[in-house]
Amino acid sequence: MTLAADAIELPSGQTMPVLGQGTWYLGERPARRRDELAALRAGLDLDMTMIDTAEMYGDGASEELVGEAIVGRRADVFLVDKVLPSHASRRETVRACRRSLQRLGVDHIDLYLLHWRGAHPLAETVEAFGELVEAGDIGQWGVSNFDLYDMQDLLEAGGGACATNQILYNLTRRGPEFDLLPWLREHQIPVMAYSPIEQGRLLGHPQVAEVAARHEATAAQVALAWLLRQGAIAAIPRSSNPEHTRENAEARDLDLAEEDVAALDAAFPPPAGPQPLEML
C-alpha cells in the first residue's frame, strides 16, 4: 500500500494539505497563548500548513491567535475559516467574512465554510460565497456538518462549486461510511475530518494502543494514519503542545498493514446501515 499523499486535489483543481491543524478552544486562555502559538508554528515548520478556525471559536479569539501565528508566513498557509449559520444570509455572510479577515489580519481566506446548516436558504449562502470569491476575499468555499440529504439540497441550490465537507469522522464515528462518504466520492468532494482523535478519547483504547505498539508509534498517530490511508480525506487534529504537533505530523509516515486495519475494524465495526451524521 502506498502512503497517503501530502495534498488532496479539490474539485477546482487546486489542492489542500492532507494533514492540518485544528484550533477549536485555542486562543481562549491567555496563560496558554505562548504554547498554542508555538504549537501552530511548529506545525507550519513540519508542513502541516492547513490551519482551520471559525468565527465561533472563542468569539473570534481563535482567529486572532491564528493571525498572530502566521505573521510573515501567510504565503505558506492554507487558511480555512467558517461562518456561523446565523450569519449565513447573503448580506451577513459577506460581512462575517470581512470581520474574520480583519481578526486574522489577512486579505483572503483560502477555504470558507458554512459551519452547519441553519435557517437561511442555502441558495443565499451560495450566492454570498460566489460574491466573496469574485471579490478575492476567499479562494473557495465549502460546508461543514452536512449529512447526505443536506449535500443533495446544496447541489439543488446551486452549490456545485462546493470544495469540501468538514465532518466528524474517526474510528469511533464511522456512520458516514455507509452513505455520505460514497456519495461525496462519487461527486469528487473531499472530506475534512475534525476531531480525528475523538478529542483524545481514542488515546486510551486498548486495540489502538496494540496497533501503535507494533509500529512503535502513538495511538494518535494510528488514528490519524487510519484516516489518511483512505484517500480524499484530510484531518485537522488540534494541539496546544509543540511535541504533540510533531507526533501528529509523523502520522503521515505511518503505513498501517492490512492486519492493523482488520484489528481496528474488529474493534470499531463499520456501520451496517444509515446513521444520522454526528456533531460535536
Side-chain angles (χ1 to χ4, degrees):
M1 190 198 79
T2 58
L3 294 176
D6 290 333
I8 295 172
E9 185 174 349
L10 298 173
S12 66
Q14 296 180 344
T15 60
M16 70 176 179
V18 72
L19 186 60
Q21 305 182 75
T23 61
W24 194 10
Y25 296 120
L26 299 191
E28 299 182 18
R29 298 188 180 184
R32 297 182 179 179
R33 191 174 192 86
R34 180 180 296 180
D35 287 342
E36 292 170 351
L37 286 170
L40 289 171
R41 289 166 178 161
L44 295 181
D45 293 339
L46 294 162
D47 292 326
M48 294 172 63
T49 53
M50 177 164 63
I51 299 181
D52 174 85
T53 187
E55 65 170 337
M56 184 189 81
Y57 299 165
D59 195 23
S62 171
E63 292 174 322
E64 292 172 353
L65 178 79
V66 170
E68 184 176 349
I70 67 175
V71 167
R73 305 188 66 171
R74 176 64 185 95
D76 301 329
V77 179
F78 186 87
L79 190 55
V80 184
D81 208 332
K82 297 184 284 292
V83 59
L84 280 165
S86 57
H87 294 160
S89 68
R90 177 162 186 173
R91 178 177 296 179
E92 288 303 314
T93 297
V94 172
R95 290 178 175 174
C97 179
R98 291 176 178 161
R99 289 193 297 268
S100 291
L101 289 170
Q102 185 173 20
R103 286 189 291 266
L104 288 160
V106 300
D107 63 4
H108 74 283
I109 292 164
D110 296 289
L111 181 57
Y112 195 47
L113 312 179
L114 174 59
H115 208 150
W116 65 88
R117 188 173 184 177
H120 291 292
L122 291 175
E124 283 192 29
T125 312
V126 169
E127 289 176 3
F129 284 155
E131 181 179 334
L132 288 166
V133 170
E134 186 173 353
D137 293 323
I138 66 174
Q140 299 175 83
W141 64 267
V143 295
S144 181
N145 296 302
F146 268 44
D147 210 339
L148 176 60
Y149 64 89
D150 297 312
M151 293 302 304
Q152 292 168 334
D153 288 349
L154 179 67
L155 291 196
E156 290 180 4
C162 178
T164 192
N165 185 10
Q166 183 183 120
I167 60 172
L168 177 60
Y169 180 47
N170 58 47
L171 278 166
T172 67
R173 312 272 192 165
R174 297 185 65 173
E177 293 177 14
F178 187 81
D179 49 12
L180 178 58
L181 291 189
W183 188 94
L184 291 168
R185 289 193 183 101
E186 179 185 351
H187 290 81
Q188 299 182 322
I189 299 174
V191 167
M192 193 183 302
Y194 73 84
S195 295
I197 311 171
E198 187 62 15
Q199 296 186 319
R201 287 184 286 273
L202 277 167
L203 301 182
H205 197 283
Q207 280 80 5
V208 179
E210 183 178 327
V211 172
R214 282 202 290 268
H215 293 272
E216 298 183 346
T218 67
Q221 289 168 345
V222 169
L224 291 170
W226 177 82
L227 282 168
L228 301 184
R229 73 185 299 275
Q230 300 181 47
I233 293 179
I236 47 170
R238 181 189 69 216
S239 170
S240 58
N241 179 293
E243 183 56 37
H244 291 163
T245 300
R246 281 187 281 273
E247 289 178 9
N248 291 339
E250 291 170 359
R252 291 171 297 193
D253 300 322
L254 177 56
D255 190 8
L256 296 178
E258 292 304 322
E259 65 175 309
D260 300 322
V261 176
L264 294 171
D265 282 343
F268 308 96
Q275 300 176 12
L277 181 65
E278 297 177 275
M279 290 178 57
L280 287 178

